[in-house]
Amino acid sequence: MALLHGLLRPIELWNDWVLGLGRWIAVICIALMVVCILLQVFFRYVLNNALPWPDEAARFLMLWMTGLIAPLAYRRGGFVSIDLALRLIPERLAALISLVLLVIAGFVLYWGIGIGYSEVTGFGGRFDTASLYVPLSLDFTEWYRVPRSWMFSSLFVGVILLFVVNLELILRSVITMLGEASRLRPIMGDDVVVE
Amino acid sequence: MLIWFLPVFLFFLLVGLPVFFGLLAAPGLLIWLDPETSTRDITLLYRNVYNGMDSFPLMAIPFFMLAGELMNRGGITERLVEFSQALMGHFRGGLAHVNILSSMLFAGLSGSAVADTSALGSMLIPAMERQGYSRRFAAAVTAASSVIGPIIPPSGIMIIYAYVMGESVAALFLAGIVPGVMVGVGLMLVVRLMANRYDLPKAERIVHKNQSISGKEYWFSFVLLRLNLGWLLFALFRGVTGIAGETVAEDGAVIGPAPFTIWVTFGVCVLAVHVLLMGLRRSVDHDFRIVTKRAVVPLQTPILILGGILIGVFTPTEAATIAVAYALVVGFFVLGSMKLADMPDVLSRSAMTSAVVLLLVGAAVAFKVVVSLSMAPQILADFILTLSENPLILLFLINILLFIVGMFLDAGPAIIILGPILAPIFTDLGVHPVHFAIIMSVNLTVGLATPPMGLVLFVASSVSGERVETIAKAILPFLAVEILVIFLITYFPAFSMTIPRLTGFVQ
């Protein structure tokens, strides 16, 4: 049991810190998305001069927002599922089935990490984005065209973070099954409601 | 072999696997086991998740959620309720009517049944109890009316449906208006009948007498109201008289009016509206005027969104961004009800909820590809056609199926799962895709208020402190009306299709 708690603790700490940081970056991403599209509207309709980059920049930000904050939603139990069957069967059996479901989710994520890595480092990732550049010098004279791999990385990072959250949930589930649920620290925050 | 993904997926779903993982695990497992497919096909599944999320139209989801969240923080719920009460409070069963009308107005801002139940329920359920309504009745009215939220535009589930199925968001938004109003009016009729039978009380039309309004808000509302009504008069005038409208020259070229003519005509219309409003001013009392004025600012949001989309100025995504900008300006500068310190929480709630939806949509796009590859719609269509070839009977069966699914699953995920499977079947049978989208959306949305798993029942229960089972019983008369509306919009497409047809969004 001590081993399980010992394994859980660093994963909990990692998730606390990394997902907390991810949340803040996601907050900045969604705010910047709004700015991008407002600029697009302003330039197109008011100045009659459509900018090429806001559309792609906003999608870039949306993908990173999703990758960084979805794991936090998963950790807080915000992924939609039908839990009626689990509520109707005996508690021990329900805990066992929950564990099996987490393992299935783990397989999906493990498979996602493998493919995600090959996508980011593969052929498609070497192409450049259509309109995104970052400055390489402070006087804005040198620009670097953003490769598509930077966009692909959003889902890859998201899947890695989800995998670590899944590991934490598996360990918690095992500890609960062994009757030590009372020693677990609560992680549920606000319920995330999806429609 | 791939056709087995559907039963495997259903099994995963029923034992409780999150929908996101189920959408990927079931096809992934079968692709992996099938000797005829390769790992490259699994890679395609991953790529489709990514491509499904990488979309400009889909960005409307986080923006609409953000706009709703900002408006909610800005204290608009109270304004809408007071406005509804000023209009309908004096009827028998006044507060129940107010509850329903507030839901209809709220629907134009948020598009979420849950937000509607929690915001309106926490305010109106205690107020109704104080007036002598039973708590279960108050909770049931709140839950039943909140399903209007995702039917009247803007609507999160319609954006999802339009994206996954390749339909026009604007057409779906417009098609939802009449069904949403029908549900609202139907619920009001039930309240009217119950009011006579159970002697439900009337309420005061004005709750807070001698309210004041800040100078900034006063002038903001003053100008907005005149501009909106002036524009409406201008459009009518132009349509009827042809003055300041387009003319067709002898060679067939369309000649637009001179800007001067447009501005002068518009100015005259605004002036005419101003004179009319000043005349009406004397016939209403001061409190009623203030309550109405306080409702102008929030009610401008649906006008901005729908107006922008209808005129063709904005895409739905841009309209959603404009709604966010409007909510920010109103919250910070006009009403002064928002502080910078509120922003991180508002942004992170919107980001988190939309991230979950976006992942689901990505998985749904991957799932849809497997659905097409597996020939599932064709096989299911053959099976369904053995039951009956009459589209009306099949639509009835689909109504029942969707209603049952809606009892167990939220509307968004249910649309994501069933849309790609069912829509092609019924489109082939001659049902218009937009009509079918509305049947699905309304059916599944009503499912949000049905036991045993209706999400809004649980929210209403937590807001009111009443047990879910008790609310589930009290909600039955309201559900009956909602089911009647579902049948009406199913068998009379004109209810949903007239507005999109008249505005040219549907051929």
Side-chain angles (χ1 to χ4, degrees), chain B residues 312-395:
Chain B
V313 182
F314 304 131
T315 61
T317 308
E318 288 167 348
T321 328
I322 296 293
V324 171
Y326 176 73
L328 284 170
V329 169
V330 163
F332 280 102
F333 304 114
V334 180
L335 306 182
S337 49
M338 293 269 310
K339 291 190 292 290
L340 262 183
D342 298 330
M343 285 308 288
D345 188 41
V346 169
L347 289 168
S348 91
R349 283 173 74 96
S350 322
M352 204 179 316
T353 316
S354 34
V356 177
V357 179
L358 292 172
L359 271 185
L360 263 180
V361 173
V365 171
F367 186 77
K368 191 186 162 196
V369 174
V370 182
V371 168
S372 329
L373 287 176
S374 69
M375 314 287 281
Q378 288 88 331
I379 296 167
L380 274 175
D382 289 343
F383 168 70
I384 288 175
L385 288 173
T386 58
L387 300 174
S388 167
E389 287 191 0
N390 184 343
L392 296 181
I393 295 176
L394 292 177
L395 279 173

Side-chain angles (χ1 to χ4, degrees), chain B residues 170-186:
Chain B
L172 295 197
F173 273 10
L174 295 172
I177 296 174
V178 175
V181 173
M182 282 168 73
V183 173
V185 173

Side-chain angles (χ1 to χ4, degrees), chain A residues 23-24 26-28 30-31 33-35 37-38 40-41 44-45 54-55 58-60 62-63 65-67 69-74 76 78-87 97 100-102 104-106 108-109 111-113 115-120 148 151-156 159 162 166 190-195, chain B residues 12-21 24-25 28 42-43 45-47 49-50 53-56 58-59 62-63 65-66 111-115 150 157 160 312-315 317-318 321-322 324-325 328 343-345 347-360 408-413 448 452-453 455 458:
Chain A
R23 173 177 173 254
W24 278 105
V27 162
I28 294 167
I30 192 171
M33 278 161 66
V34 175
V35 174
I37 304 299
L38 283 178
Q40 187 185 39
V41 172
R44 189 190 296 163
Y45 296 114
D55 178 327
R59 281 189 286 115
F60 185 99
M62 180 171 77
L63 287 166
M65 175 200 85
T66 307
I69 208 166
L72 187 61
Y74 183 43
R76 291 181 174 182
F79 274 29
V80 189
S81 63
I82 301 177
D83 54 359
L84 183 68
L86 292 177
R87 280 199 246 160
I97 293 176
V100 174
L101 295 178
L102 284 170
I104 294 173
V108 172
L109 293 167
W111 151 85
I113 291 175
I115 300 173
Y117 180 73
S118 58
E119 288 290 292
V120 171
R148 286 186 64 78
M151 267 173 114
F152 288 165
S153 303
S154 57
L155 184 59
F156 175 54
V159 172
L162 279 169
N166 201 64
D190 284 343
D191 272 349
V192 179
V193 179
V194 180
E195 267 190 274
Chain B
F12 279 155
L13 209 61
L14 288 175
V15 291
L17 189 67
V19 180
F20 171 71
F21 294 116
L24 298 173
I42 300 190
T43 307
L45 216 55
Y46 178 94
R47 243 173 239 172
V49 176
Y50 176 84
M53 292 194 301
D54 183 15
S55 143
F56 184 74
L58 210 53
M59 219 178 289
F63 289 155
M65 283 183 180
L66 182 56
S112 155
V114 173
I157 57 169
I160 295 173
V313 182
F314 304 131
T315 61
T317 308
E318 288 167 348
T321 328
I322 296 293
V324 171
L328 284 170
M343 285 308 288
D345 188 41
L347 289 168
S348 91
R349 283 173 74 96
S350 322
M352 204 179 316
T353 316
S354 34
V356 177
V357 179
L358 292 172
L359 271 185
L360 263 180
F408 296 93
L409 202 57
D410 292 347
L448 286 172
M453 297 296 289
L455 192 58
F458 287 92

Side-chain angles (χ1 to χ4, degrees), chain B residues 131-461:
Chain B
Q131 283 243 327
Y133 293 84
S134 68
R135 191 186 292 180
R136 63 171 183 276
F137 178 81
V141 175
T142 310
S145 61
S146 68
V147 302
I148 301 169
I151 303 176
I152 288 182
S155 157
I157 57 169
M158 286 186 193
I159 297 171
I160 295 173
Y161 187 97
Y163 176 62
V164 175
M165 299 307 299
E167 298 299 333
S168 146
V169 177
L172 295 197
F173 273 10
L174 295 172
I177 296 174
V178 175
V181 173
M182 282 168 73
V183 173
V185 173
L187 294 177
M188 284 179 183
L189 288 175
V190 177
V191 169
R192 184 85 194 94
L193 291 175
M194 289 177 128
N196 287 341
R197 189 162 170 191
Y198 299 108
D199 199 22
L200 298 179
K202 294 177 182 179
E204 287 283 328
R205 287 182 80 166
I206 304 296
V207 192
H208 301 110
K209 296 218 161 102
N210 299 321
Q211 272 195 104
S212 61
I213 182 169
S214 73
K216 231 187 269 178
E217 189 185 352
Y218 180 92
W219 287 110
F220 194 72
S221 309
F222 183 92
V223 174
L224 272 184
L225 190 63
R226 277 146 188 85
L227 284 180
N228 283 320
L229 293 176
W231 185 84
L232 192 67
L233 186 65
F234 172 67
L236 282 172
F237 179 76
R238 208 158 82 144
V240 173
T241 64
I243 296 171
E246 287 170 337
T247 47
V248 182
E250 278 177 17
D251 59 354
V254 178
I255 304 166
F260 177 76
T261 320
I262 295 179
W263 285 110
V264 168
T265 317
F266 180 63
V268 171
C269 289
V270 171
L271 199 65
V273 164
H274 174 68
V275 172
L276 189 74
L277 287 173
M278 294 314 269
L280 280 174
R281 193 186 172 107
R282 290 186 202 103
S283 56
V284 289
D285 69 36
H286 171 78
D287 288 320
F288 185 86
R289 265 195 310 121
I290 295 295
V291 167
T292 312
K293 225 173 205 76
R294 277 162 55 88
V296 170
V297 168
L299 290 178
Q300 184 64 29
T301 315
I303 296 174
L304 268 180
I305 296 170
L306 277 185
I309 295 174
L310 265 177
I311 300 170
V313 182
F314 304 131
T315 61
T317 308
E318 288 167 348
T321 328
I322 296 293
V324 171
Y326 176 73
L328 284 170
V329 169
V330 163
F332 280 102
F333 304 114
V334 180
L335 306 182
S337 49
M338 293 269 310
K339 291 190 292 290
L340 262 183
D342 298 330
M343 285 308 288
D345 188 41
V346 169
L347 289 168
S348 91
R349 283 173 74 96
S350 322
M352 204 179 316
T353 316
S354 34
V356 177
V357 179
L358 292 172
L359 271 185
L360 263 180
V361 173
V365 171
F367 186 77
K368 191 186 162 196
V369 174
V370 182
V371 168
S372 329
L373 287 176
S374 69
M375 314 287 281
Q378 288 88 331
I379 296 167
L380 274 175
D382 289 343
F383 168 70
I384 288 175
L385 288 173
T386 58
L387 300 174
S388 167
E389 287 191 0
N390 184 343
L392 296 181
I393 295 176
L394 292 177
L395 279 173
F396 175 73
L397 294 175
I398 272 314
N399 277 333
I400 294 173
L401 171 76
L402 292 174
F403 192 68
I404 294 171
V405 171
M407 287 178 182
F408 296 93
L409 202 57
D410 292 347
I415 275 185
I416 280 172
I417 296 162
L418 291 175
I421 299 171
L422 296 177
I425 300 173
F426 281 85
T427 311
D428 283 351
L429 283 170
V431 179
H432 195 286
V434 171
H435 180 213
F436 188 72
I438 293 297
I439 295 174
M440 268 196 93
S441 304
V442 178
N443 230 314
L444 290 167
T445 307
V446 169
L448 286 172
T450 53
M453 297 296 289
L455 192 58
V456 294
L457 284 183
F458 287 92
V459 179
S461 163

Side-chain angles (χ1 to χ4, degrees), chain A residues 83-174:
Chain A
D83 54 359
L84 183 68
L86 292 177
R87 280 199 246 160
L88 294 176
I89 56 177
E91 210 169 301
R92 288 236 151 188
L93 185 61
L96 183 67
I97 293 176
S98 296
L99 183 61
V100 174
L101 295 178
L102 284 170
V103 172
I104 294 173
F107 271 115
V108 172
L109 293 167
Y110 174 73
W111 151 85
I113 291 175
I115 300 173
Y117 180 73
S118 58
E119 288 290 292
V120 171
T121 54
F123 184 64
R126 287 184 213 148
F127 287 96
D128 290 330
T129 51
S131 57
L132 298 183
Y133 292 83
V134 284
L136 287 181
S137 60
L138 288 174
D139 58 355
F140 298 106
T141 50
E142 277 183 79
W143 292 84
Y144 174 67
R145 197 161 175 182
V146 174
R148 286 186 64 78
S149 58
W150 288 20
M151 267 173 114
F152 288 165
S153 303
S154 57
L155 184 59
F156 175 54
V157 169
V159 172
I160 293 174
L161 296 179
L162 279 169
F163 185 77
V164 182
V165 169
N166 201 64
L167 269 184
E168 182 188 345
L169 297 177
I170 287 177
L171 284 172
R172 284 176 162 269
S173 177
V174 173

